[in-house]
Amino acid sequence: MNYNKPDSTLWAGRTSNQQLYFHEKVAFLDFENEQLKPSTDVTFAFLGYACDEGVWRNQGRPGAVDGPDAIRKVLAKMPNHMATQTVFLDVGTLTCPDHGLETIQTQLAECVQQLLKNNIFPILVGGGHDIAYGHFNGIKNHLGNEKTIGIINFDAHFDLRSNENGNNSGTPFFQIAKDCKSNVTAFKYLCLGIRKDANDQVLFKTANDLGVTYIENTKFRANYAAHVVRVVQDFIHEVDHVYVTIDLDGFSSTYAPGVSAPSPMGFSPGIVLETLQMIIDSKKLISIDIAEMNPKYDLDGQTAKLAASLVHFVLHSY
């Protein structure tokens, strides 16, 4: 694999000798050279996707290649409230040399499949939103075609651009839809936070033609909570498993300036946490990723703190 093993120096902070902080809780596993073993305890694996090739192809702002380590450094200092027997692993980072987007997506799918096979919950951090294509394929390869996978994407963008001229960070869900059609399986896709000023008419038509469910950013907020709950619960009811993907550029730039495509018109963390809790409570969440963390444009580490806090929330709510 194009792979960097875990770097323990990224995990540092206050010392308690009681595992009060994540840098004291984390264990390390070299995915390339160590054997995964089936987990009997609740186990999470933190896997980095150091790739912004898809962002570059999509004419975005590169820099998300450094996202995974930026999130690690912040999460390391955060308090740990998990049970003693719960395992939290850093399993390293996939890399993307020589513009090999398709290669890293294939390798990511293999890693996700192996984690799920061993009863380990994957938490993936990127990196461009092209992470979603490899991630979904890993879940699908694990489950087979008999189970329905519902994708819930917190995002300003549909990412349903045609890949006729190549794959990029704007094409992953279009690629998944094509694969589902080829495999005669259902394409179940819910987008939360879609902005009309971030998607053209063709993308809205594509979404409607593919039967995509979505809530626009004008309705993805606390004062429309009843509507959000109804849409999300109806979607979850129709699928066997839920894969969650969070694009940080869906948040308002007030909370997430360090992304490729920032906007002040995005959503707030509160509605995302409420929705995530609802998904977790359904017991159908199988895997999650956070995409588009771009330290190059971050302000005082604010976006990295947001991403790490999202990981922290999932770890303690799952």
Side-chain angles (χ1 to χ4, degrees):
M1 294 191 296
N2 297 314
Y3 171 79
N4 292 334
K5 66 181 182 180
D7 181 356
S8 62
T9 65
L10 297 170
W11 297 86
R14 292 176 182 267
T15 300
S16 72
N17 297 318
Q18 301 175 63
Q19 293 194 350
L20 295 182
Y21 302 98
F22 264 92
H23 72 92
E24 298 175 307
K25 175 69 171 176
V26 66
F28 303 99
L29 186 142
D30 182 342
F31 218 141
E32 197 165 36
N33 297 305
E34 295 181 57
Q35 183 70 36
L36 275 176
K37 297 179 181 178
S39 175
T40 53
D41 295 318
V42 176
T43 302
F44 300 93
F46 188 101
L47 175 64
Y49 179 84
C51 176
D52 55 13
E53 169 66 18
V55 175
W56 179 82
R57 293 185 190 182
N58 199 27
Q59 303 177 38
R61 304 191 298 178
V65 65
D66 297 317
D69 285 352
I71 298 171
R72 283 183 170 99
K73 290 177 182 178
V74 177
L75 183 62
K77 297 176 174 63
M78 288 185 168
N80 162 45
H81 300 280
M82 293 194 294
T84 303
Q85 66 270 23
T86 300
V87 180
F88 178 65
L89 298 172
D90 182 350
V91 295
T93 300
L94 293 175
T95 63
C96 185
D98 304 320
H99 306 287
L101 176 61
E102 289 73 19
T103 299
I104 189 175
Q105 288 175 321
T106 299
Q107 293 175 346
L108 180 65
E110 293 169 356
C111 291
V112 169
Q113 183 180 6
Q114 286 301 311
L115 291 172
L116 293 172
K117 177 183 177 182
N118 286 279
N119 198 32
I120 299 172
F121 186 92
I123 297 179
L124 278 51
V125 292
H129 210 175
D130 38 273
I131 191 174
Y133 186 64
H135 194 168
F136 178 86
N137 279 325
I139 299 170
K140 179 179 170 296
N141 292 343
H142 170 68
L143 294 175
N145 291 332
E146 293 74 28
K147 299 292 184 179
T148 304
I149 306 166
I151 305 166
I152 299 182
N153 179 22
F154 295 84
D155 201 345
H157 308 92
F158 284 117
D159 288 340
L160 285 168
R161 294 187 181 278
S162 170
N163 66 333
E164 183 179 358
N165 296 317
N167 306 322
N168 59 56
S169 63
T171 66
F173 303 108
F174 183 82
Q175 294 172 254
I176 292 170
K178 284 175 58 178
D179 290 349
C180 288
K181 184 177 180 180
S182 297
N183 296 327
V184 196
T185 56
F187 176 57
K188 294 291 186 179
Y189 182 33
L190 168 62
C191 293
L192 302 173
I194 290 297
R195 298 200 334 258
K196 280 189 175 176
D197 64 344
N199 299 270
D200 60 33
Q201 294 181 34
V202 172
L203 290 169
F204 273 94
K205 184 178 186 305
T206 301
N208 291 325
D209 289 346
L210 291 172
V212 175
T213 306
Y214 59 89
I215 300 177
E216 293 185 29
N217 67 316
T218 53
K219 297 287 181 67
F220 188 55
R221 52 184 63 184
N223 51 324
Y224 289 96
H227 172 65
V228 173
V229 167
R230 184 170 63 254
V231 171
V232 174
Q233 287 186 340
D234 286 350
F235 181 83
I236 292 173
H237 181 73
E238 295 175 353
V239 301
D240 296 309
H241 298 278
V242 173
Y243 152 45
V244 165
T245 178
I246 303 173
D247 191 326
L248 293 169
D249 71 18
F251 289 93
S252 166
S253 53
T254 301
Y255 308 104
V259 295
S260 174
S263 170
M265 300 302 291
F267 44 70
S268 68
I271 189 65
V272 173
L273 295 181
E274 291 289 338
T275 309
L276 275 176
Q277 187 64 64
M278 181 170 33
I279 296 167
I280 292 168
D281 288 346
S282 75
K283 307 298 183 184
K284 291 187 177 183
L285 180 63
I286 191 170
S287 195
I288 189 168
D289 63 51
I290 299 174
E292 303 286 355
M293 170 62 222
N294 192 330
K296 184 176 180 180
Y297 299 99
D298 208 1
L299 298 176
D300 196 26
Q302 190 169 331
T303 316
K305 292 172 186 174
L306 171 62
S309 291
L310 290 168
V311 173
H312 191 273
F313 179 83
V314 172
L315 289 171
H316 291 92
S317 300
Y318 183 74

